[in-house]
Amino acid sequence: MPGSSLWLTPPSSHPLYPILSFLISQRLPSDFPSEAGAADARLAPEYFAPHMTLSSSISPGLYGDDPQRWLDSIPWPSADEIKVRFEGINSQDTYYRRCYAKVKLDEGIKKIAGLARARGVNGEEDANGEKTQEWLEWWRKEFGPHVSLMYGDVPISDDRLKEITKVVEEGGVKLTEPEGNVEGNGWNGGVVWLVPTDKDIKDWKPIAKRVL
């Protein structure tokens, strides 16, 4: 994946962080080894942290030798504005979206993803810039917000996707928003990570973090 990326992760103290981490790193590769690419050297010996990608293709020259200062300079929305909510399990025929939890696209998600793209790639102040507005429309159609669960090259059949969905739900993830209580269906706020994703997957570690 070219350049660096901005991710939104659940807080490490949130109940979903260990649940998603276990599903990504152990349960899904164990139950669905071919779909999860468990035999792929790119995924060994470590797995990616649970996250929703806000933007990729960020040039390291933008943040230079002080990535934390650059990340802190961005006027991120407050935690109250950001609500990550899951809407089911999907699969696309591309390596990094082989299997993922779809995230509801609301104004808060558009705002934070647009801001990440505006500051990280487009050279604009916020999501209202012309280039960023065009990108948001393209992103909505082509990708949309999501939390990846498995990377891989093997297509996933509809029947297999139903099996994966059952395992994810049994693991503690709610894929529809319940009345009154959102625990298990997503998280509010979160932590923005800046990650050099031009490295091998096992080396995807944050070089700066910003709590919303």
Side-chain angles (χ1 to χ4, degrees), residues 1 6 11 37 54 58 73-74 80 86 117 127 141 164-165 168 181 184 199 201-202:
M1 190 176 294
L6 286 167
L54 301 175
I58 297 167
S73 73
I74 299 173
D80 292 342
F86 299 136
R117 190 70 178 186
K141 292 178 180 178
I164 293 168
T165 299
V168 170
N181 181 14
K199 298 182 178 181
I201 292 174
K202 65 182 178 63

Side-chain angles (χ1 to χ4, degrees), residues 188-210:
N188 296 341
V191 184
V192 178
W193 287 14
L194 176 62
V195 182
T197 44
D198 53 354
K199 298 182 178 181
D200 291 339
I201 292 174
K202 65 182 178 63
D203 297 320
W204 284 1
K205 302 292 189 294
I207 56 174
K209 296 181 182 182
R210 174 69 153 74

Side-chain angles (χ1 to χ4, degrees), residues 75-86:
W76 298 106
S78 67
D80 292 342
E81 295 179 79
I82 305 304
K83 295 177 174 60
V84 176
R85 299 290 181 268
F86 299 136

Side-chain angles (χ1 to χ4, degrees), residues 37-197:
D40 192 324
R42 286 176 291 182
L43 287 178
E46 297 180 30
Y47 294 80
F48 55 91
H51 67 278
M52 181 180 76
T53 298
L54 301 175
S55 182
S56 58
S57 303
I58 297 167
S59 170
L62 192 62
Y63 52 79
D65 59 0
D66 198 346
Q68 189 64 55
R69 181 177 180 181
W70 176 77
L71 191 63
D72 288 341
S73 73
I74 299 173
W76 298 106
S78 67
D80 292 342
E81 295 179 79
I82 305 304
K83 295 177 174 60
V84 176
R85 299 290 181 268
F86 299 136
E87 292 188 317
I89 301 297
N90 285 357
S91 176
Q92 286 183 292
D93 191 19
T94 185
Y95 185 81
Y96 292 108
R97 292 184 303 284
R98 183 59 58 188
C99 183
Y100 60 89
K102 183 180 178 183
V103 171
K104 182 178 180 180
L105 180 60
D106 62 13
E107 291 304 312
I109 297 298
K110 285 193 285 188
K111 180 177 181 179
I112 192 170
L115 179 61
R117 190 70 178 186
R119 291 298 187 98
V121 179
N122 290 342
E124 295 178 326
E125 284 299 307
D126 54 36
N128 296 317
E130 182 179 352
K131 288 190 290 185
T132 301
Q133 283 291 304
E134 291 177 357
W135 175 82
L136 279 169
E137 181 61 20
W138 172 85
W139 176 69
R140 179 187 68 81
K141 292 178 180 178
E142 296 295 325
F143 301 107
H146 62 276
V147 173
S148 290
L149 299 173
M150 292 191 288
Y151 299 153
D153 297 314
V154 177
I156 297 176
S157 68
D158 290 343
D159 288 343
R160 202 66 164 158
L161 198 62
K162 290 178 183 177
E163 295 176 27
I164 293 168
T165 299
K166 182 179 179 181
V167 167
V168 170
E169 289 180 320
E170 288 174 349
V173 179
K174 293 182 176 66
L175 298 172
T176 56
E177 189 169 350
E179 290 290 335
N181 181 14
V182 300
E183 186 169 332
N185 180 243
W187 69 88
N188 296 341
V191 184
V192 178
W193 287 14
L194 176 62
V195 182
T197 44

